[in-house]
Amino acid sequence: MPYGYTGNILHVNLSTKEIWVEYPEENFYRTYWGGRALALYYMLNQMKPHTDPLSPDNLLIFAPGVLTGTPAPAMPRYTVCAKSPLTGAQGEAEAGGWWGPELKKAGIDAIIIKGSSSTSVYLYIKDGKVEIKDATHLWGKDTGETQKIIKKELADDRIRIAQIGPAGENLVRFANIVNELKHFNGRNGLGAVMGSKKLKAIAVRGTKPINLYNKEKIKEISKQITLRIPDNPLSRNLREFGTVAGITSIYKAGWLPTNNWSTNDFKKGENLAEETYNKTILKKNEGCYACPIRCKRVVEVDEPSVKVDPIYGGPEYEAVVSFGSLCGIDDLKYIAKANELCNKYTMDVISTATTIAFSMQCYQEGILTKEDTEGIELNFGNKEAILKIVEMIAHRKGLGNLLAEGSYRAAQKIGKGADKFIRQVKGQEVPMHDPRVKTGVGLQYALSDYGADHMKAAHDSYFKDKDSWGVKEMKGLGILGPVSPIDIGQNKVALFKLLDIYWSLLDTLGVCDFGYVPRSVGTLDELLEIIRSATGWRTTWFELMKLGERSINMARVFNYREGFTSKDDTLPEVFYQNFKGGPLDGQGAINKEDFQKALRLRYQLMGWGPDTGIPAPAKLIELGLDWLIDEIKR
Ligand code: SF4
């Protein structure tokens, strides 16, 4: 068994209740490593094309990386993969917290779940022993209650629990999975897949140390990184303000998404700003497993009109902006409440809030009426309405039943031109970063295998001038100079090819993007040395970048098999139009032709057909994926 791994891949069939363990060879681990690459190996090998995402035939895969649980900063993460009920494409989401490291300590490298139980169940894994336990008494309960009951009935407060709330049970297409009540596999509706399998939770307890090649070396590097955190503005900012750190500069620059992206003129931006957040709702900051950066927010509100329980953490940038300016709301206490409800019912905040903002615009335009909303005045800025609609979506009540399908499907069902107001790529709602001021993020929205997402690569701002952290610290990957955030030419395309591969690699290793360059303090040299010290493999950046590329190509083939083509690599129309209102009024539109040219160049740089975007057989051979050639010939 190679260092860094347990050597055990757990298979569970919930239909037949069979449980077995696979013991892969070292070369398997050295090819697929873990996280998204390992999960995609099983998705491509064990799932038939065109599987219904909510059927027993979908797989649900939990896969930490080889570094998950090492005592280095920012290495708590694990991937969950399945075919997405929101997009119909490869579905994937990474989470931090504590559950991934616990799974490794329990002696498991990954869990592959098939089938569907006839009654609700949860999995209990303790030091390699696996039980399927009854969960009928937990079905319908929110995440806080469920966690309390499981810990009590297993008589162990140190158990780590990944679970779904009522939204997952009710098959809300953007339901997510949470561990320790605050850490989310957020996007793509993976919680609905878990709900369709009647799997309420996976409770894990591990007491064995992870077998690392040179643990002392990892501790020494960790100490060096930790000592530099207070002097590094990026890490310091993350600790002080979390991901909401940039809101002040964004609203002043004039690109805070407002009223469903219909304008950028949000007059009350300072009510959402990081300083306001810290003064009004922040209770404390917290961290994930072994991470000294501690960027996670915990909030508390205790007022007669609104109460927010700190056990559910606190809103990050995406929740503050999507429930805030995107819905025309400037009251952080209500935003924190909407975030808390999403967390206890397990719904992705970006998709929930964007779908609500879409319905608000439909209401404003007269496409939805009071009859559709059961009397709720669904106007932008109505903060009480937001809380009601979140409840209705989670429980699929009234209009909530329609919105639980996501904005894309809801628009098709509503008709009457509602599709003009959806903001999505491949069926997934866009995050709160505007491609008109970050064209690289726009390329990633369009190309992402799992629909628009802001975590597919580092953002353009880390490369904007010669003093940017990405330019200073990533020369080892060939990034030698700055590129303007609004440039969409060949230098931007080449830069984002590298960044896509690099972050795909981090999602394969179990590394948090916020711990290392260009987003934070850890360097490329330190990261490489940690990987070598964990595995004992004298690996290089060449091998590692090929691994990142391998996972991108596997996802691309999976989606091709499902019928996705280059036509699905798009941006919402709103980004091809100028900003409306605020300091950027009348400027900023992305030129559609330039964007298409950039996409085609990117296909070529990736070794894909320049028009089709399909990986060429030679590229698959180069990456050791020749077994996928038949898939692209079909
Ligand atoms: S940087 Fe933040 S999100 Fe990442 S591992 Fe550390 S505490 Fe968790």
Side-chain angles (χ1 to χ4, degrees):
M1 183 231 320
Y3 288 102
Y5 294 98
T6 70
N8 304 316
I9 293 191
L10 175 68
H11 293 257
V12 177
N13 186 325
L14 288 172
S15 299
T16 61
K17 307 289 188 274
E18 280 168 293
I19 296 170
W20 61 282
V21 177
E22 179 189 358
Y23 310 103
E25 297 288 319
E26 179 158 348
N27 269 354
F28 173 84
Y29 282 113
R30 189 120 190 200
T31 307
Y32 302 105
W33 288 64
R36 75 184 305 242
L38 185 138
L40 277 157
Y41 171 83
Y42 288 99
M43 298 258 292
L44 283 156
N45 272 295
Q46 295 196 2
M47 196 194 303
K48 287 199 184 116
H50 311 298
T51 294
D52 176 350
L54 297 175
S55 76
D57 295 332
N58 199 357
L59 296 179
L60 182 64
I61 300 172
F62 291 75
V66 66
L67 298 182
T68 308
T70 51
M75 299 197 171
R77 287 171 86 80
Y78 65 99
T79 296
V80 176
C81 268
K83 184 173 168 183
S84 165
L86 187 66
T87 65
Q90 188 261 134
E92 173 183 336
E94 279 72 28
W98 303 79
W99 189 89
E102 198 73 20
L103 188 71
K104 295 275 293 282
K105 289 180 184 174
I108 309 279
D109 288 326
I111 311 175
I112 320 294
I113 299 167
K114 262 187 185 168
S116 168
S117 179
S118 52
T119 58
S120 51
V121 293
Y122 74 93
L123 284 184
Y124 174 39
I125 301 171
K126 180 160 189 202
D127 286 334
K129 259 188 69 190
V130 185
E131 281 177 67
I132 299 174
K133 294 180 82 78
D134 174 55
T136 45
H137 58 306
L138 301 171
W139 207 248
K141 300 229 177 310
D142 68 42
T143 54
E145 288 174 279
T146 300
Q147 177 157 300
K148 219 187 279 170
I149 295 169
I150 292 180
K151 285 191 174 187
K152 195 169 170 207
E153 72 190 24
L154 297 176
D156 188 347
D157 206 38
R158 297 187 66 185
I159 279 171
R160 305 292 182 184
I161 299 167
Q163 57 159 318
I164 54 167
E169 297 169 12
N170 294 328
L171 311 183
V172 172
R173 284 187 190 266
F174 43 84
N176 62 24
I177 299 170
V178 62
N179 79 80
E180 297 306 289
L181 307 183
K182 297 172 187 156
H183 306 277
F184 300 89
N185 301 94
R187 309 224 67 200
N188 278 195
L190 301 167
V193 177
M194 196 156 160
S196 73
K197 297 187 176 303
K198 290 258 169 28
L199 179 62
K200 178 72 175 168
I202 307 180
V204 179
R205 180 77 169 98
T207 59
K208 299 171 194 160
I210 300 168
N211 188 24
L212 300 168
Y213 177 72
N214 189 347
K215 194 171 178 178
E216 288 315 305
K217 182 78 189 168
I218 297 177
K219 282 187 176 166
E220 190 191 310
I221 300 168
S222 305
K223 203 169 155 197
Q224 289 165 16
I225 296 175
T226 304
L227 284 173
R228 294 201 310 275
I229 289 173
D231 297 327
N232 180 287
L234 294 171
S235 317
R236 213 177 42 224
N237 234 15
L238 272 171
R239 184 184 277 183
E240 200 175 341
F241 297 112
T243 52
V244 292
I247 290 185
T248 300
S249 59
I250 293 168
Y251 84 76
K252 284 189 176 161
W255 59 268
L256 206 56
T258 301
N259 294 2
N260 194 35
W261 299 90
S262 63
T263 166
N264 297 87
D265 192 13
F266 192 64
K267 302 257 188 273
K268 295 183 176 163
E270 67 186 75
N271 292 352
L272 307 182
E274 54 272 37
E275 301 279 2
T276 315
Y277 186 118
N278 281 12
K279 273 191 218 140
T280 55
I281 57 171
L282 185 71
K283 183 178 162 71
K284 59 177 178 173
N285 62 322
E286 280 185 352
C288 302
Y289 175 89
C291 185
I293 296 174
R294 297 177 66 80
C295 74
K296 308 292 284 191
R297 311 284 91 186
V298 176
V299 303
E300 185 168 26
V301 180
D302 188 9
E303 290 191 356
S305 58
V306 54
K307 295 194 190 312
V308 179
D309 190 336
I311 66 166
Y312 296 105
E316 304 284 348
Y317 169 83
E318 298 300 330
V320 169
V321 177
S322 59
F323 278 120
S325 54
L326 195 78
C327 291
I329 288 167
D330 69 333
D331 186 334
L332 274 172
K333 290 173 185 156
Y334 276 77
I335 292 168
K337 184 68 192 176
N339 180 72
E340 180 218 68
L341 292 176
C342 284
N343 291 0
K344 71 199 254 197
Y345 299 144
T346 60
M347 296 196 293
D348 173 44
V349 286
I350 300 171
S351 286
T352 306
T354 303
T355 302
I356 293 174
F358 152 78
S359 68
M360 286 174 149
Q361 195 161 9
C362 287
Y363 187 79
Q364 180 182 281
E365 301 288 329
I367 294 172
L368 289 176
T369 66
K370 259 191 183 178
E371 266 172 39
D372 301 304
T373 65
E374 297 180 18
I376 297 170
E377 301 267 15
L378 204 46
N379 297 311
F380 287 116
N382 186 345
K383 57 192 186 189
E384 280 87 13
I386 296 270
L387 303 185
K388 283 185 195 151
I389 299 283
V390 171
E391 291 275 0
M392 288 163 73
I393 294 173
H395 297 98
R396 281 191 174 270
K397 296 228 167 87
L399 179 67
N401 190 38
L402 176 68
L403 301 183
E405 293 292 292
S407 56
Y408 177 77
R409 284 181 176 78
Q412 312 304 311
K413 285 192 182 154
I414 294 168
K416 304 179 204 165
D419 56 353
K420 264 201 318 230
F421 306 120
I422 50 176
R423 319 296 187 208
Q424 55 79 36
V425 179
K426 299 187 179 84
Q428 177 157 267
E429 291 74 14
V430 295
M432 300 301 108
H433 302 269
D434 197 316
R436 289 170 289 192
V437 290
K438 297 179 175 186
T439 54
V441 170
L443 283 171
Q444 294 306 110
Y445 282 175
L447 281 162
S448 164
D449 27 80
Y450 48 83
D453 196 66
H454 57 299
M455 298 300 283
K456 288 298 285 177
H459 291 197
D460 306 57
S461 42
Y462 298 101
F463 305 89
K464 70 178 186 325
D465 56 44
K466 68 176 178 32
D467 296 322
S468 301
W469 196 237
V471 176
K472 278 163 93 167
E473 289 292 326
M474 295 188 75
K475 295 202 167 39
L477 289 188
I479 297 170
L480 302 181
V483 187
S484 158
I486 56 170
D487 185 302
I488 187 69
Q490 62 188 46
N491 291 341
K492 179 61 65 73
V493 179
L495 173 65
F496 271 79
K497 178 202 162 184
L498 281 176
L499 296 176
D500 188 0
I501 292 173
Y502 173 62
W503 272 23
S504 290
L505 167 70
L506 299 190
D507 288 342
T508 297
L509 299 172
V511 178
C512 174
D513 306 320
F514 293 168
Y516 294 82
V517 291
R519 191 64 183 78
S520 192
V521 63
T523 66
L524 289 177
D525 287 346
E526 286 164 336
L527 183 54
L528 180 61
E529 203 42 53
I530 291 168
I531 299 166
R532 289 174 165 182
S533 303
T535 59
W537 292 334
R538 300 313 292 165
T539 186
T540 61
W541 276 111
F542 177 84
E543 181 185 10
L544 294 168
M545 291 296 276
K546 287 289 161 208
L547 169 60
E549 203 180 349
R550 188 172 298 128
S551 72
I552 294 169
N553 279 272
M554 290 164 87
R556 193 85 188 165
V557 173
F558 183 91
N559 284 354
Y560 174 69
R561 219 169 68 154
E562 297 299 326
F564 286 83
T565 70
S566 56
K567 288 199 180 73
D568 298 295
D569 297 337
T570 58
L571 279 183
E573 279 299 315
V574 72
F575 301 127
Y576 298 119
Q577 296 160 11
N578 283 327
F579 284 99
K580 287 188 188 135
L584 298 173
D585 185 44
Q587 48 184 304
I590 294 176
N591 180 298
K592 217 179 222 179
E593 231 170 79
D594 291 346
F595 194 75
Q596 283 305 314
K597 239 193 262 171
L599 281 178
R600 284 190 169 33
L601 177 59
R602 176 71 170 274
Y603 293 167
Q604 286 170 283
L605 293 181
M606 294 298 292
W608 300 345
D611 295 317
T612 61
I614 303 168
K619 175 53 72 178
L620 297 178
I621 290 167
E622 180 202 334
L623 296 171
L625 298 174
D626 45 309
W627 54 276
L628 285 176
I629 289 176
D630 282 349
E631 301 288 352
I632 57 168
K633 282 189 181 157
R634 270 180 211 194

